[in-house]
Amino acid sequence: MAKNHHIIFKKRPGVNGEPAEDNFGYEECDYPCDPQNNEVLLKTLYLSIDPAMRCRMNEETGVTYIGPFGIGDRIGGFGGVGVVVKSANPDFQDGDVVHAGFNWQWVENFLETPGEHFPLRKIDSSLVNGQVSLYLSILSLTSGLTSYLGVKVKGHVTPGANQTMVVSGAAGACGSLAGQIGKLEGCSRVVGICGSEEKCQFLTEELGYDSAINYKTKDVSSELQKLCPSGVDVYFDNVGGDLSNTVIKQMNTDSHVILCGQIAVYNKDVPYPPPIPEDVQRILTDKNITRDRYLVLNYPDKFESGMKQIVEWTVQGKLKVRETIEEGLQNAGKAFVSMMKGGNIGKQLVHVGDS
Ligand code: NDP
């Protein structure tokens, strides 16, 4: 019998604790039976590693759209790319390479009925030139579409309006795309905030960001004053906390925060979105700054047109992507822990197997 392995959830880090590798366990499990009744047998090629998994590690996630992991359960992650090993479903053939944006199990091989836990879609290999992992980064729900639709629906970017955009978590999966999209949509200046010199260089030398600030070594407030002399018009916020309070203090009247994520407080026992200090709330109110909750899942009607635009920019070479790939399913927990601490540039993925 062929061998199979999966990752189980072993231990909660605690609502105020940092996730650790021993929260996850790599174990042998049964190899699935042959597919029946519309099922497909899938072999995982790549897994998407996403910050939203952090809230699933608590007993209560604090959000309605995903539930907590059970202790001892196999991790049901976010996106995955795999190959159909054997199909009992007329829509899929053996050898099809497929992807899904949600609920892909952290296991080498598994049975799935397409459409039951997630829509399963075939990969258009002509779009990605063999690099199928792109379906979990630039062509994915949780980074490509999240960045694009965030800018579109919450950013109010107006070509010719000489707007300055600031992006936090700027060298990550969403952030690295958001700033490029801000420019493509018409912002005249884009400034990224991230956690290392290497990341700053990536933003300015490879992605076309005008400038970048290393928040770990620089005073963000004074750097922003220098780099954004006419203030901030659009803030793509992946991070929250003190860093975001500092940015909001330099925002213009009638400007816009794209409240994408608040990773700085994911290891803290606070509601989502977390409360912000009174003085910052007063600035938002006095300056009429919008800061609505943003969840990509709320815009399914815009997925198709959004993806069309992302594909067009990618094919034209206008939108660039980076992936940080950890090798081996046994290292999926390690990859998650590393991403939460800034170990990634661009999208964090795990390479599990080959087709
Ligand atoms: P990233 O690829 O950006 O990885 C997370 C990054 O966060 C790290 O690389 C690290 O970079 C940074 N970070 C971690 N802790 C802190 C901290 N305390 N202060 C500042 N930066 C920190 O992840 P994603 O692009 O996948 O996700 C980005 C955000 O978008 C997350 O908040 C996520 O929850 C959110 N999201 C929201 C969606 C929506 O629908 N609204 C959908 C998908 C994601 P550094 O080295 O710079 O510190």
Side-chain angles (χ1 to χ4, degrees):
M1 190 85 173
K3 283 199 170 179
N4 200 19
H5 294 92
H6 65 172
I7 303 281
I8 59 150
F9 184 54
K10 267 177 81 175
K11 201 162 88 183
R12 300 193 193 282
V15 284
N16 286 306
E18 284 191 11
E21 284 180 46
D22 68 0
N23 300 154
F24 302 90
Y26 172 71
E27 293 184 350
E28 200 171 326
C29 59
D30 290 342
Y31 193 88
C33 323
D34 275 353
Q36 316 280 333
N37 304 325
N38 283 328
E39 288 175 333
V40 289
L41 171 58
L42 294 170
K43 177 183 178 198
T44 303
L45 305 181
Y46 289 94
L47 291 172
S48 169
I49 304 294
D50 291 83
M53 282 182 54
R54 176 63 186 87
C55 70
R56 303 193 68 184
M57 299 173 88
N58 297 335
E59 269 173 73
E60 287 175 26
T61 60
V63 292
T64 51
Y65 57 94
I66 37 176
F69 295 134
I71 300 292
D73 289 353
R74 176 185 292 169
I75 300 276
F78 279 78
V81 163
V83 61
V84 176
V85 177
K86 208 166 190 184
S87 177
N89 184 304
D91 296 332
F92 295 90
Q93 314 301 317
D94 296 3
D96 281 348
V97 182
V98 293
H99 69 107
F102 237 87
N103 282 333
W104 193 284
Q105 298 180 37
W106 283 20
V107 60
E108 286 163 344
N109 303 278
F110 64 111
L111 281 177
E112 184 64 37
T113 305
E116 190 177 328
H117 301 107
F118 50 77
L120 191 68
R121 298 201 170 86
K122 289 183 203 174
I123 275 177
D124 179 351
S125 51
S126 70
L127 280 183
V128 294
N129 205 12
Q131 198 184 337
V132 294
S133 59
L134 291 178
Y135 273 86
L136 299 179
S137 54
I138 199 161
L139 304 180
S140 75
L141 176 72
T142 56
S143 43
L145 278 174
T146 296
S147 318
Y148 177 73
L149 294 178
V151 173
K152 281 305 264 191
V153 300
K154 301 289 185 190
H156 302 266
V157 175
T158 313
N162 200 26
Q163 287 166 306
T164 295
M165 176 189 251
V166 170
V167 182
S168 59
C174 293
S176 59
L177 298 174
Q180 297 180 75
I181 292 167
K183 273 244 152 140
L184 285 163
E185 286 288 303
C187 287
S188 53
R189 186 190 300 254
V190 175
V191 177
I193 306 176
C194 58
S196 75
E197 290 310 312
E198 187 191 0
K199 291 183 179 188
C200 287
Q201 260 180 23
F202 166 63
L203 295 180
T204 54
E205 291 173 17
E206 291 185 41
L207 300 189
Y209 272 65
D210 296 284
S211 28
I213 304 168
N214 178 350
Y215 73 90
K216 289 186 177 161
T217 57
K218 293 271 166 58
D219 178 63
V220 175
S221 179
S222 57
E223 288 298 309
L224 278 178
Q225 270 163 27
K226 276 190 263 167
L227 298 171
C228 309
S230 356
V232 178
D233 301 294
V234 185
Y235 174 37
F236 195 106
D237 186 8
N238 285 308
V239 164
D242 290 345
L243 196 148
S244 289
N245 297 336
T246 303
V247 178
I248 290 169
K249 285 177 183 165
Q250 301 199 26
M251 292 188 73
N252 293 325
T253 299
D254 298 329
S255 60
H256 305 282
V257 179
I258 302 163
L259 187 58
C260 183
Q262 304 276 281
I263 198 167
V265 296
Y266 288 178
N267 296 328
K268 291 185 183 153
D269 187 13
V270 290
Y272 188 88
I276 47 174
E278 250 179 60
D279 59 328
V280 180
Q281 183 54 56
R282 206 170 314 118
I283 293 169
L284 292 173
T285 309
D286 292 350
K287 290 190 167 177
N288 192 34
I289 301 170
T290 63
R291 184 177 174 272
D292 311 324
R293 194 164 176 175
Y294 164 61
L295 182 64
V296 67
L297 291 174
N298 290 342
Y299 302 93
D301 55 318
K302 295 185 172 17
F303 289 177
E304 201 183 322
S305 58
M307 194 49 76
K308 203 166 156 233
Q309 178 63 84
I310 292 168
V311 166
E312 194 180 308
W313 281 333
T314 308
V315 170
Q316 292 169 345
K318 291 179 175 172
L319 198 52
K320 296 192 180 122
V321 63
R322 174 86 78 94
E323 296 171 344
T324 296
I325 301 182
E326 182 69 51
E327 197 53 49
L329 179 66
Q330 68 277 16
N331 292 319
K334 179 177 159 201
F336 174 75
V337 170
S338 163
M339 177 277 298
M340 290 298 289
K341 290 183 181 156
N344 58 312
I345 298 187
K347 178 70 192 178
Q348 178 72 59
L349 300 173
V350 174
H351 176 225
V352 177
D354 294 310
S355 52

